[in-house]
Amino acid sequence: MRTINSGWLFAKGVQPDSAAFTPVCIPHTWNTDAYTDKKYYRGTAWYQKTLTLSEQWKDKQIFLRFEAVSQVADIYINGQLAGQHKGGYTAFTIDITPFCSFSIPNLLTIRVDNAQDNVPPISGDFTFFGGIYRDIWLITVPKQHFCLNNNGSDGIFISTPHVSESEGTLFIKGSLRNDATTQTELEIINTLYAPDGSIIQRLHRTVKIAPGEDYTFKESPKPVSNPQLWSPETPHLYRVETTLLNRKNRQQLDCVSHHIGFRWYHFDGENGFSLNGKPYKLNGICRHQDQKPFGVALSDEMHRRDILLMKEMGVNFIRISHYPQDPAILEQCDKQGILAWEEIPIIDIVPESEEYANTCEQNLREMIRQHYNHPAIITWGYMNEILLVTQRQYKTQEEQKPVLERTLALAHRLEKVLKEEDPYRNSTIAFHGSNHYNTVGLGNITDIIGWNLYQGWYGGELKSFDLFLEEQHRQYPSHPIIVSEYGAGSDRRLHSFEPKCFDFSIEYQQKYLEHYLPVITDTPYICGGTHWNFIDFSAALRDEATPRINNKGLVYSNRTPKDVFYYYKAMFRKDIPVLHIASRDWTHRAGILQKGATRVTQPVKVYTNLPEVELFLNGQSLGKKQCENCTASFNVPFREGKQLLLAKSKNIEDAIEVYFSPVPAQLTKDNINGIELAVNVGSNCFYTSDESQLTWVPDQPYTPGSWGYITHDTAKRENNREESTQTEITLTGDNPLYQTARSRLEGYQFDVPNGIYELELLFADIFQTSEKIPYLLGSGQGGTISLGNAFHILINGQQVEEACCPSSESGTFRAIKKRFIVPAKENKINIQLKTINGKNFLNGIKLRKL
Ligand code: GCB
Ligand code: CA
């Protein structure tokens, strides 16, 4: 068995065009365009390679195994179709022997298509990257071999039906095949190895197998007494080696090896999860499989690295979402000790298609057979939020009826298949926060209910999370519950001391998770939770602060941990001390310096699992704090420039450098030089540009001597409001800065010493008004044109721009910057936006003395 990942040529297009082919290596995806374009390429593409087969393989059976091709693959050898596979996340094996030549090179052509609406997933909040993005293997075996024609599996299935502290039973089922033209006598040897490598048992059996026949054997080895149990804390792996010999000449024909583990577990509606007889909280996380800028074309070591990072964080459970993943993931889960839920991608809605349902069943069988032997896996899943789009798309009961019927039918069908394939593991399904699932009957099908809950993110209050679960438990006390998703987005450039739902500040994500995690941890009936998501992942259709990236990760796309990663680590790790100053996501700080003050005091949080922590600023103690919920918060008096924060507890320390830029509350001739006063108008957030590192401070109301938006007139004050959008603002690298605005402003004012200033106004029309008025911008066209929000701009009473209309100047949701050189008069700069259509607005403002 060897990889054939190199020497491939690739071209997009409906027909293979030899001119367009470029060299690539596998793993490969053609969809790195998903990082820049909502309409990433979904269509057909071709891979080609010449494959020279050694003469010595003439008497062998030749197979290709693809670990995954997204979404549909047609495999051609020397122009002949050798096989097809549907589904972008499961492996498949194709016997190419009849198509091969051993004298001349073979041409391997693979047609790949990622524009299918009949193959799961048809919908979902992630990019459907196309390509051959996992390894390809060339397998050559003698004519007598273990079956490779069984749903991408290797033909050997090992289960551990009964496990206790005193005894572990195992059961081995396997099939072999004779592709020769004569009958052969074979010997099958199963050897069981202990975790230390010593042999525990060896079982032999002989079999006569006719040409062209399959033979299935079953072995029930003697139970292992006092097995070393597998658990996340003790991932002891036994090993079963299954060998095939030619009875006559004792030649080895085939050999496969599997790690197995002895563990037992139980999901309970009242008492939560238990592992090996003890209550056990599933401290989990969901994982998507991509990494910017590589898409899903990750090497095995990148996959393994993710599991190691999770392990470092203290994770003992993973929801492999929303689809089966690389074999490297499962192997690493077994070895590192991470329990797993794996699922197939049936998401949002079940389309009306028998072919779709068949492919779902097929993919479910493939997943189970391919990953059956992994002790890490405890549950299989098959649907995610399947009523979400159903409910949105079909409003009336009548319209919903047929969709619900086929959804239920598919769920029942898959549940049956799942139990048939694997009677030893549990079944799971993930719902979104609606009781509808129960009322339509989906709640009674699987063993476990997963709830994807976002109270305090997509709507509602944080507290509603607790209440929802309480209510579910009250109504359905026998349903074992996993919080299968919860999370909030964050953007490292946004920070707030008054974090708000959906502001994408680092601080709101922390607040949200600091609420959710203790509820999961402290509620006995909740089996556990799987945070959404481990990584910031590719979701090409998303806008928000970081377009095309879903930013709910605990680590960034490049796997650098966010500070909140250490909250989890502090909560999950009991075996080591954890201490982390939670400000690595905010090292370039700014803040308002009050008149007469030399320092700006701001809170800094420390995440730790120790009871007490002391914080030092530039060597000076700021005192000790008791920790609660693994956090301690200190008020830190920052001065200008670089300074050192050091946290200490017991024998452990953590230190970071912070760069601080004070912004004077009152601008005077003594402090104004060198100040670049930048305000994130309409926002509670500090915004630091990645491009310039300049920090835009949160907006504030004007007070005499200072600066801010004006609300003298109480009637107008009610109209003046903060506005925001989740739509991407283009033509800027500072998208989030423009996504918030203040509208219906009375004015903006800076009280500053007289002199010459550079004033910059930032606009993006995020309102998409369709009002039509007769006022003509430019002129000459006649008739009415659609005119967006428009206003005259006045500075210190002087009109500097007539009828400024950002949406007609640049288009809606596009960034505009206007810079003016203006004098301050009577110690002030006053800006007025006099509305002539719709409403006035301002997204950002910046002032600098020349
Ligand atoms: C969900 C979905 C998941 C999304 C997530 C989100 O409920 O199951 O695929 O990515 O919410 O971030 O909105
Ligand atoms: Ca791989």
PDB file of all heavy atoms in Angstrom, residues 143-174:
ATOM      1  N   LYS A 143      -3.969 -12.519  -5.099  1.00  0.00           N
ATOM      2  CA  LYS A 143      -5.345 -12.837  -5.511  1.00  0.00           C
ATOM      3  C   LYS A 143      -6.233 -13.212  -4.321  1.00  0.00           C
ATOM      4  O   LYS A 143      -7.437 -13.024  -4.344  1.00  0.00           O
ATOM      5  CB  LYS A 143      -5.345 -13.975  -6.547  1.00  0.00           C
ATOM      6  CG  LYS A 143      -4.722 -13.562  -7.883  1.00  0.00           C
ATOM      7  CD  LYS A 143      -5.568 -12.519  -8.587  1.00  0.00           C
ATOM      8  CE  LYS A 143      -4.881 -11.995  -9.835  1.00  0.00           C
ATOM      9  NZ  LYS A 143      -5.547 -10.796 -10.374  1.00  0.00           N
ATOM     10  N   GLN A 144      -5.610 -13.771  -3.284  1.00  0.00           N
ATOM     11  CA  GLN A 144      -6.381 -14.043  -2.075  1.00  0.00           C
ATOM     12  C   GLN A 144      -6.066 -12.935  -1.078  1.00  0.00           C
ATOM     13  O   GLN A 144      -4.905 -12.714  -0.717  1.00  0.00           O
ATOM     14  CB  GLN A 144      -6.015 -15.399  -1.460  1.00  0.00           C
ATOM     15  CG  GLN A 144      -6.352 -16.586  -2.340  1.00  0.00           C
ATOM     16  CD  GLN A 144      -5.316 -16.808  -3.437  1.00  0.00           C
ATOM     17  OE1 GLN A 144      -4.135 -16.459  -3.276  1.00  0.00           O
ATOM     18  NE2 GLN A 144      -5.740 -17.391  -4.551  1.00  0.00           N
ATOM     19  N   HIS A 145      -7.096 -12.228  -0.648  1.00  0.00           N
ATOM     20  CA  HIS A 145      -6.871 -11.041   0.188  1.00  0.00           C
ATOM     21  C   HIS A 145      -8.120 -10.714   0.973  1.00  0.00           C
ATOM     22  O   HIS A 145      -9.210 -11.213   0.670  1.00  0.00           O
ATOM     23  CB  HIS A 145      -6.481  -9.853  -0.708  1.00  0.00           C
ATOM     24  CG  HIS A 145      -7.483  -9.588  -1.793  1.00  0.00           C
ATOM     25  ND1 HIS A 145      -8.573  -8.788  -1.617  1.00  0.00           N
ATOM     26  CD2 HIS A 145      -7.579 -10.066  -3.060  1.00  0.00           C
ATOM     27  CE1 HIS A 145      -9.286  -8.755  -2.728  1.00  0.00           C
ATOM     28  NE2 HIS A 145      -8.710  -9.542  -3.627  1.00  0.00           N
ATOM     29  N   PHE A 146      -7.965  -9.878   1.974  1.00  0.00           N
ATOM     30  CA  PHE A 146      -9.145  -9.415   2.713  1.00  0.00           C
ATOM     31  C   PHE A 146      -9.941  -8.498   1.796  1.00  0.00           C
ATOM     32  O   PHE A 146      -9.366  -7.761   0.985  1.00  0.00           O
ATOM     33  CB  PHE A 146      -8.722  -8.689   3.993  1.00  0.00           C
ATOM     34  CG  PHE A 146      -8.025  -9.601   4.961  1.00  0.00           C
ATOM     35  CD1 PHE A 146      -6.714  -9.395   5.349  1.00  0.00           C
ATOM     36  CD2 PHE A 146      -8.694 -10.715   5.461  1.00  0.00           C
ATOM     37  CE1 PHE A 146      -6.080 -10.256   6.220  1.00  0.00           C
ATOM     38  CE2 PHE A 146      -8.068 -11.592   6.343  1.00  0.00           C
ATOM     39  CZ  PHE A 146      -6.752 -11.368   6.725  1.00  0.00           C
ATOM     40  N   CYS A 147     -11.237  -8.541   1.960  1.00  0.00           N
ATOM     41  CA  CYS A 147     -12.125  -7.845   1.033  1.00  0.00           C
ATOM     42  C   CYS A 147     -11.894  -6.344   1.031  1.00  0.00           C
ATOM     43  O   CYS A 147     -11.906  -5.694   2.069  1.00  0.00           O
ATOM     44  CB  CYS A 147     -13.583  -8.102   1.403  1.00  0.00           C
ATOM     45  SG  CYS A 147     -14.148  -9.663   0.782  1.00  0.00           S
ATOM     46  N   LEU A 148     -11.695  -5.833  -0.158  1.00  0.00           N
ATOM     47  CA  LEU A 148     -11.524  -4.385  -0.296  1.00  0.00           C
ATOM     48  C   LEU A 148     -12.719  -3.772  -1.012  1.00  0.00           C
ATOM     49  O   LEU A 148     -12.715  -2.593  -1.333  1.00  0.00           O
ATOM     50  CB  LEU A 148     -10.231  -4.093  -1.054  1.00  0.00           C
ATOM     51  CG  LEU A 148      -8.965  -4.333  -0.223  1.00  0.00           C
ATOM     52  CD1 LEU A 148      -7.727  -4.290  -1.095  1.00  0.00           C
ATOM     53  CD2 LEU A 148      -8.846  -3.316   0.896  1.00  0.00           C
ATOM     54  N   ASN A 149     -13.726  -4.592  -1.242  1.00  0.00           N
ATOM     55  CA  ASN A 149     -14.885  -4.089  -1.988  1.00  0.00           C
ATOM     56  C   ASN A 149     -16.055  -3.782  -1.063  1.00  0.00           C
ATOM     57  O   ASN A 149     -17.185  -3.753  -1.471  1.00  0.00           O
ATOM     58  CB  ASN A 149     -15.305  -5.113  -3.047  1.00  0.00           C
ATOM     59  CG  ASN A 149     -15.687  -6.443  -2.401  1.00  0.00           C
ATOM     60  OD1 ASN A 149     -15.469  -6.637  -1.203  1.00  0.00           O
ATOM     61  ND2 ASN A 149     -16.245  -7.342  -3.178  1.00  0.00           N
ATOM     62  N   ASN A 150     -15.729  -3.560   0.227  1.00  0.00           N
ATOM     63  CA  ASN A 150     -16.800  -3.359   1.194  1.00  0.00           C
ATOM     64  C   ASN A 150     -16.850  -1.910   1.677  1.00  0.00           C
ATOM     65  O   ASN A 150     -16.282  -1.560   2.721  1.00  0.00           O
ATOM     66  CB  ASN A 150     -16.615  -4.329   2.361  1.00  0.00           C
ATOM     67  CG  ASN A 150     -17.766  -4.245   3.348  1.00  0.00           C
ATOM     68  OD1 ASN A 150     -18.633  -3.369   3.252  1.00  0.00           O
ATOM     69  ND2 ASN A 150     -17.766  -5.150   4.303  1.00  0.00           N
ATOM     70  N   ASN A 151     -17.455  -1.034   0.903  1.00  0.00           N
ATOM     71  CA  ASN A 151     -17.721   0.349   1.320  1.00  0.00           C
ATOM     72  C   ASN A 151     -16.494   1.098   1.821  1.00  0.00           C
ATOM     73  O   ASN A 151     -16.569   1.857   2.785  1.00  0.00           O
ATOM     74  CB  ASN A 151     -18.806   0.369   2.398  1.00  0.00           C
ATOM     75  CG  ASN A 151     -20.138  -0.106   1.859  1.00  0.00           C
ATOM     76  OD1 ASN A 151     -20.839   0.657   1.202  1.00  0.00           O
ATOM     77  ND2 ASN A 151     -20.469  -1.363   2.065  1.00  0.00           N
ATOM     78  N   GLY A 152     -15.383   0.888   1.156  1.00  0.00           N
ATOM     79  CA  GLY A 152     -14.175   1.636   1.509  1.00  0.00           C
ATOM     80  C   GLY A 152     -13.500   1.139   2.774  1.00  0.00           C
ATOM     81  O   GLY A 152     -12.532   1.735   3.243  1.00  0.00           O
ATOM     82  N   SER A 153     -14.011   0.058   3.339  1.00  0.00           N
ATOM     83  CA  SER A 153     -13.395  -0.477   4.563  1.00  0.00           C
ATOM     84  C   SER A 153     -12.281  -1.442   4.188  1.00  0.00           C
ATOM     85  O   SER A 153     -12.081  -1.743   3.009  1.00  0.00           O
ATOM     86  CB  SER A 153     -14.447  -1.221   5.379  1.00  0.00           C
ATOM     87  OG  SER A 153     -14.754  -2.454   4.738  1.00  0.00           O
ATOM     88  N   ASP A 154     -11.573  -1.964   5.199  1.00  0.00           N
ATOM     89  CA  ASP A 154     -10.559  -2.966   4.885  1.00  0.00           C
ATOM     90  C   ASP A 154     -11.045  -4.379   5.175  1.00  0.00           C
ATOM     91  O   ASP A 154     -10.267  -5.315   5.235  1.00  0.00           O
ATOM     92  CB  ASP A 154      -9.236  -2.656   5.590  1.00  0.00           C
ATOM     93  CG  ASP A 154      -9.368  -2.681   7.101  1.00  0.00           C
ATOM     94  OD1 ASP A 154     -10.399  -3.159   7.612  1.00  0.00           O
ATOM     95  OD2 ASP A 154      -8.437  -2.222   7.774  1.00  0.00           O
ATOM     96  N   GLY A 155     -12.344  -4.494   5.393  1.00  0.00           N
ATOM     97  CA  GLY A 155     -12.941  -5.828   5.476  1.00  0.00           C
ATOM     98  C   GLY A 155     -12.882  -6.477   6.850  1.00  0.00           C
ATOM     99  O   GLY A 155     -13.397  -7.579   7.034  1.00  0.00           O
ATOM    100  N   ILE A 156     -12.284  -5.838   7.816  1.00  0.00           N
ATOM    101  CA  ILE A 156     -12.174  -6.427   9.162  1.00  0.00           C
ATOM    102  C   ILE A 156     -12.911  -5.541  10.161  1.00  0.00           C
ATOM    103  O   ILE A 156     -12.674  -4.323  10.202  1.00  0.00           O
ATOM    104  CB  ILE A 156     -10.696  -6.547   9.611  1.00  0.00           C
ATOM    105  CG1 ILE A 156      -9.837  -7.225   8.532  1.00  0.00           C
ATOM    106  CG2 ILE A 156     -10.587  -7.264  10.961  1.00  0.00           C
ATOM    107  CD1 ILE A 156     -10.104  -8.686   8.323  1.00  0.00           C
ATOM    108  N   PHE A 157     -13.788  -6.142  10.941  1.00  0.00           N
ATOM    109  CA  PHE A 157     -14.586  -5.379  11.904  1.00  0.00           C
ATOM    110  C   PHE A 157     -14.445  -5.975  13.293  1.00  0.00           C
ATOM    111  O   PHE A 157     -14.718  -7.155  13.491  1.00  0.00           O
ATOM    112  CB  PHE A 157     -16.055  -5.373  11.475  1.00  0.00           C
ATOM    113  CG  PHE A 157     -16.211  -4.855  10.062  1.00  0.00           C
ATOM    114  CD1 PHE A 157     -16.254  -5.739   8.988  1.00  0.00           C
ATOM    115  CD2 PHE A 157     -16.255  -3.495   9.814  1.00  0.00           C
ATOM    116  CE1 PHE A 157     -16.360  -5.261   7.684  1.00  0.00           C
ATOM    117  CE2 PHE A 157     -16.371  -3.011   8.512  1.00  0.00           C
ATOM    118  CZ  PHE A 157     -16.414  -3.897   7.445  1.00  0.00           C
ATOM    119  N   ILE A 158     -14.009  -5.130  14.218  1.00  0.00           N
ATOM    120  CA  ILE A 158     -13.765  -5.633  15.569  1.00  0.00           C
ATOM    121  C   ILE A 158     -14.632  -4.852  16.549  1.00  0.00           C
ATOM    122  O   ILE A 158     -14.615  -3.618  16.561  1.00  0.00           O
ATOM    123  CB  ILE A 158     -12.284  -5.477  15.953  1.00  0.00           C
ATOM    124  CG1 ILE A 158     -11.416  -6.120  14.861  1.00  0.00           C
ATOM    125  CG2 ILE A 158     -11.997  -6.098  17.313  1.00  0.00           C
ATOM    126  CD1 ILE A 158      -9.976  -5.706  14.909  1.00  0.00           C
ATOM    127  N   SER A 159     -15.385  -5.573  17.337  1.00  0.00           N
ATOM    128  CA  SER A 159     -16.195  -4.897  18.347  1.00  0.00           C
ATOM    129  C   SER A 159     -15.837  -5.414  19.729  1.00  0.00           C
ATOM    130  O   SER A 159     -15.202  -6.471  19.862  1.00  0.00           O
ATOM    131  CB  SER A 159     -17.679  -5.104  18.055  1.00  0.00           C
ATOM    132  OG  SER A 159     -17.949  -6.482  17.943  1.00  0.00           O
ATOM    133  N   THR A 160     -16.239  -4.672  20.728  1.00  0.00           N
ATOM    134  CA  THR A 160     -15.999  -5.075  22.121  1.00  0.00           C
ATOM    135  C   THR A 160     -17.358  -5.059  22.831  1.00  0.00           C
ATOM    136  O   THR A 160     -17.683  -4.120  23.556  1.00  0.00           O
ATOM    137  CB  THR A 160     -15.027  -4.104  22.812  1.00  0.00           C
ATOM    138  OG1 THR A 160     -15.518  -2.762  22.645  1.00  0.00           O
ATOM    139  CG2 THR A 160     -13.632  -4.190  22.235  1.00  0.00           C
ATOM    140  N   PRO A 161     -18.164  -6.136  22.609  1.00  0.00           N
ATOM    141  CA  PRO A 161     -19.570  -6.101  23.049  1.00  0.00           C
ATOM    142  C   PRO A 161     -19.775  -5.956  24.560  1.00  0.00           C
ATOM    143  O   PRO A 161     -20.698  -5.295  24.978  1.00  0.00           O
ATOM    144  CB  PRO A 161     -20.130  -7.440  22.575  1.00  0.00           C
ATOM    145  CG  PRO A 161     -19.165  -7.951  21.568  1.00  0.00           C
ATOM    146  CD  PRO A 161     -17.833  -7.381  21.915  1.00  0.00           C
ATOM    147  N   HIS A 162     -18.922  -6.586  25.349  1.00  0.00           N
ATOM    148  CA  HIS A 162     -19.098  -6.483  26.801  1.00  0.00           C
ATOM    149  C   HIS A 162     -17.770  -6.160  27.432  1.00  0.00           C
ATOM    150  O   HIS A 162     -16.808  -6.900  27.280  1.00  0.00           O
ATOM    151  CB  HIS A 162     -19.633  -7.799  27.384  1.00  0.00           C
ATOM    152  CG  HIS A 162     -20.893  -8.234  26.720  1.00  0.00           C
ATOM    153  ND1 HIS A 162     -22.102  -7.600  26.934  1.00  0.00           N
ATOM    154  CD2 HIS A 162     -21.129  -9.218  25.817  1.00  0.00           C
ATOM    155  CE1 HIS A 162     -23.031  -8.170  26.187  1.00  0.00           C
ATOM    156  NE2 HIS A 162     -22.464  -9.155  25.497  1.00  0.00           N
ATOM    157  N   VAL A 163     -17.755  -5.073  28.163  1.00  0.00           N
ATOM    158  CA  VAL A 163     -16.520  -4.699  28.854  1.00  0.00           C
ATOM    159  C   VAL A 163     -16.861  -4.344  30.293  1.00  0.00           C
ATOM    160  O   VAL A 163     -17.856  -3.671  30.568  1.00  0.00           O
ATOM    161  CB  VAL A 163     -15.828  -3.501  28.173  1.00  0.00           C
ATOM    162  CG1 VAL A 163     -14.534  -3.146  28.901  1.00  0.00           C
ATOM    163  CG2 VAL A 163     -15.537  -3.788  26.705  1.00  0.00           C
ATOM    164  N   SER A 164     -16.063  -4.832  31.202  1.00  0.00           N
ATOM    165  CA  SER A 164     -16.170  -4.432  32.605  1.00  0.00           C
ATOM    166  C   SER A 164     -14.753  -4.352  33.142  1.00  0.00           C
ATOM    167  O   SER A 164     -13.794  -4.630  32.405  1.00  0.00           O
ATOM    168  CB  SER A 164     -16.976  -5.468  33.399  1.00  0.00           C
ATOM    169  OG  SER A 164     -16.225  -6.668  33.485  1.00  0.00           O
ATOM    170  N   GLU A 165     -14.617  -4.001  34.396  1.00  0.00           N
ATOM    171  CA  GLU A 165     -13.265  -3.911  34.961  1.00  0.00           C
ATOM    172  C   GLU A 165     -12.581  -5.275  34.946  1.00  0.00           C
ATOM    173  O   GLU A 165     -11.379  -5.369  34.784  1.00  0.00           O
ATOM    174  CB  GLU A 165     -13.331  -3.393  36.396  1.00  0.00           C
ATOM    175  CG  GLU A 165     -13.744  -1.960  36.429  1.00  0.00           C
ATOM    176  CD  GLU A 165     -13.092  -1.170  37.541  1.00  0.00           C
ATOM    177  OE1 GLU A 165     -12.396  -1.758  38.389  1.00  0.00           O
ATOM    178  OE2 GLU A 165     -13.303   0.044  37.528  1.00  0.00           O
ATOM    179  N   SER A 166     -13.395  -6.320  35.101  1.00  0.00           N
ATOM    180  CA  SER A 166     -12.765  -7.632  35.220  1.00  0.00           C
ATOM    181  C   SER A 166     -12.595  -8.330  33.880  1.00  0.00           C
ATOM    182  O   SER A 166     -11.768  -9.217  33.751  1.00  0.00           O
ATOM    183  CB  SER A 166     -13.588  -8.507  36.166  1.00  0.00           C
ATOM    184  OG  SER A 166     -14.921  -8.564  35.704  1.00  0.00           O
ATOM    185  N   GLU A 167     -13.361  -7.912  32.858  1.00  0.00           N
ATOM    186  CA  GLU A 167     -13.324  -8.665  31.621  1.00  0.00           C
ATOM    187  C   GLU A 167     -13.659  -7.823  30.396  1.00  0.00           C
ATOM    188  O   GLU A 167     -14.557  -6.989  30.450  1.00  0.00           O
ATOM    189  CB  GLU A 167     -14.356  -9.788  31.735  1.00  0.00           C
ATOM    190  CG  GLU A 167     -13.989 -10.995  30.925  1.00  0.00           C
ATOM    191  CD  GLU A 167     -14.920 -12.164  31.261  1.00  0.00           C
ATOM    192  OE1 GLU A 167     -16.054 -12.166  30.771  1.00  0.00           O
ATOM    193  OE2 GLU A 167     -14.487 -13.043  32.020  1.00  0.00           O
ATOM    194  N   GLY A 168     -12.932  -8.074  29.340  1.00  0.00           N
ATOM    195  CA  GLY A 168     -13.253  -7.405  28.081  1.00  0.00           C
ATOM    196  C   GLY A 168     -13.424  -8.440  26.985  1.00  0.00           C
ATOM    197  O   GLY A 168     -12.505  -9.202  26.689  1.00  0.00           O
ATOM    198  N   THR A 169     -14.622  -8.494  26.390  1.00  0.00           N
ATOM    199  CA  THR A 169     -14.806  -9.436  25.285  1.00  0.00           C
ATOM    200  C   THR A 169     -14.553  -8.708  23.975  1.00  0.00           C
ATOM    201  O   THR A 169     -14.766  -7.499  23.873  1.00  0.00           O
ATOM    202  CB  THR A 169     -16.244  -9.986  25.234  1.00  0.00           C
ATOM    203  OG1 THR A 169     -17.132  -8.884  25.069  1.00  0.00           O
ATOM    204  CG2 THR A 169     -16.595 -10.736  26.489  1.00  0.00           C
ATOM    205  N   LEU A 170     -14.092  -9.464  23.015  1.00  0.00           N
ATOM    206  CA  LEU A 170     -14.008  -8.872  21.692  1.00  0.00           C
ATOM    207  C   LEU A 170     -14.467  -9.870  20.643  1.00  0.00           C
ATOM    208  O   LEU A 170     -14.498 -11.077  20.898  1.00  0.00           O
ATOM    209  CB  LEU A 170     -12.630  -8.317  21.378  1.00  0.00           C
ATOM    210  CG  LEU A 170     -11.448  -9.218  21.109  1.00  0.00           C
ATOM    211  CD1 LEU A 170     -10.394  -8.454  20.342  1.00  0.00           C
ATOM    212  CD2 LEU A 170     -10.847  -9.713  22.406  1.00  0.00           C
ATOM    213  N   PHE A 171     -14.865  -9.314  19.546  1.00  0.00           N
ATOM    214  CA  PHE A 171     -15.458 -10.122  18.501  1.00  0.00           C
ATOM    215  C   PHE A 171     -14.900  -9.615  17.182  1.00  0.00           C
ATOM    216  O   PHE A 171     -14.891  -8.409  16.931  1.00  0.00           O
ATOM    217  CB  PHE A 171     -16.983  -9.960  18.581  1.00  0.00           C
ATOM    218  CG  PHE A 171     -17.712 -10.733  17.533  1.00  0.00           C
ATOM    219  CD1 PHE A 171     -17.766 -12.118  17.593  1.00  0.00           C
ATOM    220  CD2 PHE A 171     -18.341 -10.072  16.486  1.00  0.00           C
ATOM    221  CE1 PHE A 171     -18.432 -12.829  16.612  1.00  0.00           C
ATOM    222  CE2 PHE A 171     -19.010 -10.790  15.510  1.00  0.00           C
ATOM    223  CZ  PHE A 171     -19.060 -12.169  15.574  1.00  0.00           C
ATOM    224  N   ILE A 172     -14.391 -10.547  16.394  1.00  0.00           N
ATOM    225  CA  ILE A 172     -13.777 -10.145  15.127  1.00  0.00           C
ATOM    226  C   ILE A 172     -14.566 -10.765  13.977  1.00  0.00           C
ATOM    227  O   ILE A 172     -14.864 -11.960  13.997  1.00  0.00           O
ATOM    228  CB  ILE A 172     -12.310 -10.639  15.039  1.00  0.00           C
ATOM    229  CG1 ILE A 172     -11.519 -10.205  16.272  1.00  0.00           C
ATOM    230  CG2 ILE A 172     -11.636 -10.149  13.757  1.00  0.00           C
ATOM    231  CD1 ILE A 172     -10.193 -10.927  16.437  1.00  0.00           C
ATOM    232  N   LYS A 173     -14.902  -9.891  13.022  1.00  0.00           N
ATOM    233  CA  LYS A 173     -15.587 -10.396  11.840  1.00  0.00           C
ATOM    234  C   LYS A 173     -14.810  -9.896  10.632  1.00  0.00           C
ATOM    235  O   LYS A 173     -14.407  -8.724  10.608  1.00  0.00           O
ATOM    236  CB  LYS A 173     -17.004  -9.841  11.830  1.00  0.00           C
ATOM    237  CG  LYS A 173     -17.890 -10.451  10.784  1.00  0.00           C
ATOM    238  CD  LYS A 173     -19.287  -9.857  10.893  1.00  0.00           C
ATOM    239  CE  LYS A 173     -19.817  -9.638   9.496  1.00  0.00           C
ATOM    240  NZ  LYS A 173     -20.951  -8.743   9.469  1.00  0.00           N
ATOM    241  N   GLY A 174     -14.557 -10.795   9.683  1.00  0.00           N
ATOM    242  CA  GLY A 174     -13.807 -10.324   8.533  1.00  0.00           C
ATOM    243  C   GLY A 174     -14.177 -11.100   7.293  1.00  0.00           C
ATOM    244  O   GLY A 174     -14.748 -12.179   7.377  1.00  0.00           O
TER     245      GLY A 174
END
